[in-house]
Amino acid sequence: EDLKKQKTMQTLDPYSSDPERHPVLRINNLKPFNAEPPPEILSDSFITPSAFFFKRNHLPVPQVDPATYLLQVEGLPGGLLTLSLEELKTRFPKHTVTATLQCAGNRRSEMNAVKQVKGLNWGIAAISNATWSGARLRDVLLAAGYGPDVARRAGHVQFEGLDKDVTGTTYGASIPLNKAVSEEGDVLLAYEMNGADLPADHGYPVRVVVPGVVGARNVKWLGKIIVSADESSSHWQQNDYKGFSPGTDWDTVNFKSAPAIQELPVQSAITAPADGAVVDRSSEELTVKGYAWSGGGREVVRVDVSLDGGKTWQVAQIRSSEKGQAPEGTPPTGRAWAWKLWEITAPLPPGAKELKIVCKAVDNSYNMQPDTVAPIWNLRGVLSNAWHRVNVKIREDEREE
Amino acid sequence: EDLKKQKTMQTLDPYSSDPERHPVLRINNLKPFNAEPPPEILSDSFITPSAFFFKRNHLPVPQVDPATYLLQVEGLPGGLLTLSLEELKTRFPKHTVTATLQCAGNRRSEMNAVKQVKGLNWGIAAISNATWSGARLRDVLLAAGYGPDVARRAGHVQFEGLDKDVTGTTYGASIPLNKAVSEEGDVLLAYEMNGADLPADHGYPVRVVVPGVVGARNVKWLGKIIVSADESSSHWQQNDYKGFSPGTDWDTVNFKSAPAIQELPVQSAITAPADGAVVDRSSEELTVKGYAWSGGGREVVRVDVSLDGGKTWQVAQIRSSEKGQAPEGTPPTGRAWAWKLWEITAPLPPGAKELKIVCKAVDNSYNMQPDTVAPIWNLRGVLSNAWHRVNVKIREDEREE
Ligand SMILES: [Mo]
Ligand SMILES: [Mo]
């Protein structure tokens, strides 16, 4: 594998046509490109600007000509349906959804701190929120002949990307059929992100957006849709992106024993202050900011913040309507696809030399985050959603100096 | 309130017509009747026999004559629909669902051990699993004129019980309209439990069964169904059965600030051995048994068990098909309404004098249980789903004695 890669790079670098990226991004891997923004950028705005949205590529970014782009839809009674980009945009109503995407490996670095795992060392910012527009997958499947008969024989919708490795293997994933065809599922074949054409790193010209579901199933540079009795046979569906017990290691793991990650569990993290920050005693109070989100359309209903390592807790304020960018009111039950930004301003506790800041979120199924990392540690370092902890020093003012 | 109760009891005990109950039940409150089975009975069978199924009554059990029983359905374009028991049974297809019900207060005693809460001191057995048969609520609502227009103005389906307090106030609750009308919601107007007429304690002649949702919304002795823009205005919907931050006390609580509990979070507990049990060293191995379940139709995909207080973990075996009572294969995604019984047999660790047994479950959204009780403590003691812990002593064999 490594030898092959080396040889290919000598002849032609498949990453040479990758797009330019914003220099503020923190790069976890260059080829394929994987990068996250500085955490404090996330809490600047409800909608993450596309340039700062975390990038998680598995393969080189393919160059796709929109004029010749064709999307294929297979496995339905209508036979093979082929759609040009123009047809996708004009034959189906344009639908807009604000949805947070999160990488399965977000916060993996905290698992690495417990015991080494296999995977990119993501911080807390492999999560971002954007507005996506496109055709509903449901509408396209109906146009290709989807009906109740299909639901009896098929259970999954597979997606193939146009991104390929040197052997020609494309990125692939699948989602349950009921999510794909549900009116409330809001699955999109998106051609716009934040009101503009999809950027190259986010799947230009078309990607799948599966709200509430792990990033890995939101296939970019979409080439083919296959309705099937089976899940995707791809490496990423079968032998990756699954959760295991902390006692399972690479010698004992049986990838067939765990389900492919789809909906993600409740999550939150502190974006400011940063771990290790120093606060002056003279500032008297401290503002803590962060994000919270849950998978499956479950709405975050509360975020608890502790300044003493989890002994006492305060309820944070949800910043849901700031800057007029957030939707008004509450989303319909089960369709809360977007994160919540939160903050809390608290007086510095008298006498304290250090603050052990902790946050944990609760969703509307009242699921909570686990307290600690070790008991949810898993060999791939996915699903890292223990309480997020940030330690801050308080510096007493020393006028004499 | 207390004076009023006392006076009523002097004139006529409204509980005098309550049914007989099985003597093995552990009574938490007599009037109204609240009782749970010994935990080890729960792991005896996938389907809990009705006599052992936990009983959670809020009011006296009403005596309902099946010949004159009428169910009213209000708030739909067809006008008031009134159904006799016979009509409910014959006009609508009979649908059967195996669903676990759990009281919001299950495992409250563990919260009481941290700090006193208000509520019945339930152990770990305010949860049981049964087979329910009846008409689908969806079918009844459609017969009463439900259509897309209704969904635009209404958001909730309210239920009123025939059980009343001395002032005539009935028990009431509501669920989201989309759960009620969804084909995949499986909400029943049940007239059978485990293949027989509903027992008096479980709602004879008709109760609502809302799979995946907290017991309190599964209204028994159902008298009225109201489709409405609003949630039920009942005490139990508005000012009870809600979760709060551990920092919230009775002086600061604002019941409007939290959503009514509907779907419950992932849960598991150890039914055997009991806490404080003594195991002989000569037995060489120990079998640990328990249950695991999650709300919202999320399937439990793994149960981790530790014998050393959470340092190391083993994966328990799911006993899903024992005795032929469990459904074959996996339930459709999002419709896993029944619990899983699990067990694990492990050798007694050499030298150990005590085992700190812990269990935690994972559902198919990969939600996990929180590690400890204190950070999820809340003033009503609901949603108690931290890791369950049982300590067992190992007795070395002393032949000399
Ligand atoms: Mo990912
Ligand atoms: Mo309950």
Side-chain angles (χ1 to χ4, degrees):
Chain A
E1 185 77 22
D2 279 329
L3 261 176
K4 194 164 59 181
K5 271 198 190 134
Q6 216 176 327
K7 184 156 167 272
T8 311
M9 287 180 54
Q10 280 159 7
T11 52
L12 170 73
D13 179 2
Y15 294 95
S16 59
S17 57
D18 265 24
E20 300 251 324
R21 281 95 181 197
H22 198 288
V24 81
L25 293 174
R26 296 174 182 179
I27 297 173
N28 290 314
N29 195 65
L30 196 58
K31 300 175 179 184
F33 191 72
N34 285 277
E36 63 190 300
E40 59 275 17
I41 281 186
L42 291 183
S43 41
D44 278 349
S45 60
F46 177 70
I47 301 292
T48 314
S50 302
F52 301 145
F53 200 101
F54 81 95
K55 325 275 178 218
R56 199 284 178 251
N57 298 341
H58 294 85
L59 295 163
V61 174
Q63 289 190 284
V64 184
D65 178 355
T68 59
Y69 171 81
L70 289 176
L71 173 63
Q72 297 189 300
V73 186
E74 284 186 17
L76 287 170
L80 178 70
L81 175 70
T82 302
L83 296 167
S84 69
L85 183 58
E86 188 62 19
E87 287 172 317
L88 187 70
K89 289 182 177 179
T90 55
R91 280 187 54 186
F92 305 94
K94 182 173 165 181
H95 187 68
T96 296
V97 171
T98 299
T100 296
L101 297 188
Q102 182 182 209
C103 180
N106 190 31
R107 302 182 57 196
R108 178 178 286 133
S109 53
E110 293 160 69
M111 286 199 174
N112 264 326
V114 169
K115 196 168 91 179
Q116 184 69 36
V117 299
K118 219 177 248 188
L120 299 167
N121 199 38
W122 294 105
I124 64 165
I127 184 170
S128 303
N129 188 51
T131 293
W132 311 92
S133 302
R136 285 183 207 248
L137 175 57
R138 168 186 164 81
D139 293 339
V140 171
L141 295 180
L142 285 169
Y146 174 81
D149 279 3
V150 177
R152 256 164 255 142
R153 63 166 173 80
H156 305 275
V157 179
Q158 304 176 1
F159 307 115
E160 284 182 19
L162 296 167
D163 46 337
K164 294 183 174 113
D165 69 13
V166 288
T167 71
T169 304
T170 57
Y171 185 77
S174 62
I175 62 171
L177 179 63
N178 60 356
K179 171 72 176 172
V181 299
S182 160
E183 289 194 70
E184 290 81 35
D186 287 325
V187 181
L188 296 185
L189 304 179
Y191 41 77
E192 287 180 15
M193 177 183 188
N194 293 336
D197 286 350
L198 284 179
D201 267 328
H202 295 287
Y204 182 82
V206 178
R207 76 172 301 173
V208 191
V209 172
V210 192
V213 163
V214 62
R217 314 303 172 207
N218 292 249
V219 174
K220 302 193 276 193
W221 314 290
L222 183 66
K224 198 183 276 190
I225 298 170
I226 306 163
V227 176
S228 173
D230 303 312
E231 280 192 303
S232 167
S233 61
S234 84
H235 166 77
W236 301 275
Q237 190 82 18
Q238 299 297 329
N239 297 314
D240 198 356
Y241 295 123
K242 296 187 172 192
F244 295 96
S245 177
T248 301
D249 62 26
W250 288 101
D251 294 330
T252 57
V253 65
N254 170 13
F255 270 92
K256 289 204 196 327
S257 71
I261 300 170
Q262 297 283 350
E263 293 182 358
L264 288 171
V266 61
Q267 175 70 288
S268 69
I270 298 157
T271 53
D275 191 43
V278 178
V279 183
D280 281 320
R281 168 61 64 186
S282 60
S283 46
E284 289 175 4
E285 54 181 32
L286 175 72
T287 296
V288 181
K289 295 183 182 186
Y291 64 76
W293 180 77
S294 187
R298 289 179 285 282
E299 187 177 5
V300 166
V301 297
R302 200 182 76 235
V303 177
D304 294 331
V305 176
S306 174
L307 302 181
D308 56 11
K311 285 192 203 72
T312 63
W313 298 88
Q314 302 172 61
V315 178
Q317 195 177 354
I318 303 289
R319 298 156 59 206
S320 57
S321 59
E322 45 141 14
K323 301 187 185 185
Q325 289 175 313
E328 281 167 40
T330 27
T333 308
R335 295 166 81 177
W337 311 125
W339 67 11
K340 306 232 175 162
L341 300 180
W342 54 266
E343 66 176 61
I344 189 167
T345 299
L348 294 179
K353 294 207 161 79
E354 193 187 29
L355 299 180
K356 297 185 173 193
I357 312 176
V358 188
C359 75
K360 63 182 171 83
V362 183
D363 71 21
N364 66 347
S365 297
Y366 282 102
N367 274 298
M368 321 270 178
Q369 296 177 242
D371 310 18
T372 58
V373 181
I376 61 165
W377 184 96
N378 60 84
L379 75 186
R380 268 297 267 124
V382 291
L383 304 158
S384 184
N385 75 328
W387 300 353
H388 188 227
R389 296 160 191 269
V390 159
N391 291 340
V392 166
K393 288 226 179 328
I394 299 177
R395 178 169 43 203
E396 299 298 329
D397 303 298
E398 297 174 29
R399 304 280 174 192
E400 273 68 41
E401 277 194 8
Chain B
E1 183 75 23
D2 279 331
L3 262 175
K4 193 163 63 183
K5 268 196 189 136
Q6 218 174 326
K7 182 154 168 273
T8 311
M9 285 179 58
Q10 280 157 10
T11 52
L12 170 72
D13 181 359
Y15 294 94
S16 59
S17 58
D18 266 25
E20 300 250 327
R21 281 96 180 196
H22 197 288
V24 79
L25 293 174
R26 295 175 183 178
I27 296 172
N28 290 315
N29 195 65
L30 196 59
K31 299 175 180 185
F33 191 72
N34 285 277
E36 64 189 300
E40 59 275 18
I41 282 186
L42 291 183
S43 41
D44 278 351
S45 60
F46 178 69
I47 300 291
T48 314
S50 303
F52 301 145
F53 201 101
F54 81 96
K55 325 277 179 216
R56 200 283 178 250
N57 299 342
H58 294 85
L59 294 163
V61 174
Q63 289 190 283
V64 185
D65 178 356
T68 58
Y69 170 82
L70 288 176
L71 174 63
Q72 297 188 299
V73 186
E74 287 185 16
L76 288 170
L80 178 70
L81 175 69
T82 302
L83 296 167
S84 69
L85 184 58
E86 188 62 18
E87 286 171 318
L88 187 70
K89 289 183 175 179
T90 55
R91 278 186 55 187
F92 304 94
K94 182 173 165 181
H95 187 66
T96 296
V97 172
T98 299
T100 297
L101 297 189
Q102 182 182 207
C103 179
N106 190 32
R107 302 182 58 196
R108 179 179 284 132
S109 53
E110 294 161 68
M111 286 198 173
N112 265 325
V114 168
K115 195 169 89 177
Q116 184 68 35
V117 300
K118 220 178 249 189
L120 300 167
N121 199 38
W122 294 106
I124 65 165
I127 183 170
S128 304
N129 188 50
T131 293
W132 311 93
S133 301
R136 285 182 207 249
L137 175 58
R138 168 186 164 82
D139 293 340
V140 171
L141 295 179
L142 285 168
Y146 174 81
D149 279 1
V150 177
R152 254 163 255 141
R153 62 167 172 81
H156 305 274
V157 179
Q158 304 176 2
F159 307 114
E160 283 182 20
L162 296 167
D163 46 338
K164 294 182 173 109
D165 70 12
V166 288
T167 71
T169 304
T170 58
Y171 184 77
S174 62
I175 62 170
L177 179 64
N178 60 357
K179 171 72 177 173
V181 299
S182 159
E183 289 193 70
E184 290 81 34
D186 286 325
V187 181
L188 296 185
L189 305 178
Y191 41 77
E192 287 180 16
M193 178 183 188
N194 293 337
D197 285 349
L198 283 180
D201 267 329
H202 295 287
Y204 182 82
V206 177
R207 77 174 300 174
V208 191
V209 172
V210 192
V213 163
V214 63
R217 314 303 172 209
N218 293 250
V219 174
K220 302 194 278 194
W221 314 290
L222 182 66
K224 199 182 274 190
I225 299 170
I226 305 163
V227 176
S228 173
D230 303 312
E231 280 192 304
S232 168
S233 62
S234 84
H235 166 77
W236 300 276
Q237 191 82 18
Q238 299 298 329
N239 297 314
D240 197 357
Y241 294 123
K242 296 188 171 190
F244 293 97
S245 177
T248 300
D249 62 27
W250 288 100
D251 294 331
T252 57
V253 65
N254 170 14
F255 270 92
K256 290 205 196 324
S257 70
I261 301 171
Q262 298 283 351
E263 293 182 358
L264 288 170
V266 61
Q267 176 69 291
S268 69
I270 299 157
T271 52
D275 191 41
V278 178
V279 183
D280 281 319
R281 167 62 65 186
S282 61
S283 47
E284 288 177 4
E285 55 180 31
L286 175 72
T287 296
V288 181
K289 294 183 183 187
Y291 63 76
W293 180 76
S294 187
R298 290 179 285 283
E299 186 177 5
V300 166
V301 297
R302 200 182 77 234
V303 178
D304 294 331
V305 176
S306 173
L307 302 182
D308 55 11
K311 284 191 204 71
T312 63
W313 299 89
Q314 303 172 60
V315 177
Q317 196 178 355
I318 303 289
R319 297 157 59 207
S320 56
S321 59
E322 46 142 14
K323 301 188 186 185
Q325 288 175 313
E328 281 168 40
T330 27
T333 308
R335 296 167 81 178
W337 310 124
W339 67 10
K340 306 231 175 163
L341 300 179
W342 54 265
E343 66 176 61
I344 189 167
T345 298
L348 295 180
K353 294 207 160 80
E354 193 186 29
L355 298 179
K356 298 184 172 193
I357 312 176
V358 187
C359 75
K360 63 181 171 82
V362 183
D363 71 22
N364 66 347
S365 296
Y366 281 102
N367 274 299
M368 320 271 178
Q369 297 177 241
D371 310 18
T372 58
V373 181
I376 62 165
W377 183 96
N378 59 85
L379 75 184
R380 268 295 268 125
V382 291
L383 305 159
S384 185
N385 75 328
W387 299 354
H388 188 227
R389 296 160 191 270
V390 159
N391 291 340
V392 166
K393 287 226 178 328
I394 300 177
R395 177 168 46 201
E396 299 298 327
D397 305 297
E398 297 175 28
R399 304 280 173 193
E400 273 68 37
E401 276 193 5

